[in-house]
Amino acid sequence: MTGFGKQNMAVLVLREADDITTVLRRALDTAPAEERPGLERAMALAAEAGAVPDAELRGRWALRRMASTGYEGPPRTVAAIKALRTAERSLSLLQAVNLSKDAEAVATEAQDVRAAEPDAT
């Protein structure tokens, strides 16, 4: 099985958005009028969550794991990779480096979004 060795597969992203959407759709089919707006909003949120790329989900996970060790610095440093490997001891160095790249992309995107927001003052 290529691509599934320890060096290649560090974090398996599980997606249940399709199953959740199916359950919500069934509920919507039989819902009274007053419940429909809430169920429709829930379906939209499930679809939105299901559209998030795997790399972004891995990056978010890596940032959370780094933070769990008390690390608060940039995600693409030796200290960040060490923090990630401390939090998840089964990660190889290569896996941790690749996850730190995903984490950096997520962190950079979040900074770009904050920078684009108008100043509230």
Side-chain angles (χ1 to χ4, degrees):
M1 264 189 188
T2 5
F4 290 101
K6 183 176 181 182
Q7 292 297 319
N8 296 322
M9 185 60 86
V11 177
L12 178 63
V13 176
L14 300 177
R15 297 200 177 256
E16 295 184 23
D18 291 339
D19 294 337
I20 293 169
T21 302
T22 300
V23 170
L24 289 170
R25 186 175 294 9
R26 283 188 207 136
L28 186 60
D29 289 343
T30 60
E34 63 272 4
E35 290 180 11
R36 293 184 69 74
L39 288 168
E40 288 167 352
R41 177 70 177 135
M43 284 182 59
L45 290 171
E48 186 179 312
V52 175
D54 288 355
E56 183 176 339
L57 295 174
R58 287 190 307 266
R60 289 180 193 173
W61 177 85
L63 288 170
R64 286 192 308 270
R65 298 308 298 143
M66 289 174 193
S68 75
T69 67
Y71 182 76
E72 296 178 357
R76 284 288 310 274
T77 64
V78 172
I81 293 166
K82 182 178 180 186
L84 186 53
R85 291 187 77 200
T86 297
E88 294 294 329
R89 297 203 181 275
S90 64
L91 290 177
S92 71
L93 179 59
L94 178 60
Q95 291 169 334
V97 168
N98 288 335
L99 286 166
S100 75
K101 290 176 185 178
D102 291 337
E104 180 183 44
V106 169
T108 300
E109 184 177 331
Q111 288 174 348
D112 291 347
V113 167
R114 284 192 300 271
E117 291 176 350
D119 193 6
T121 55

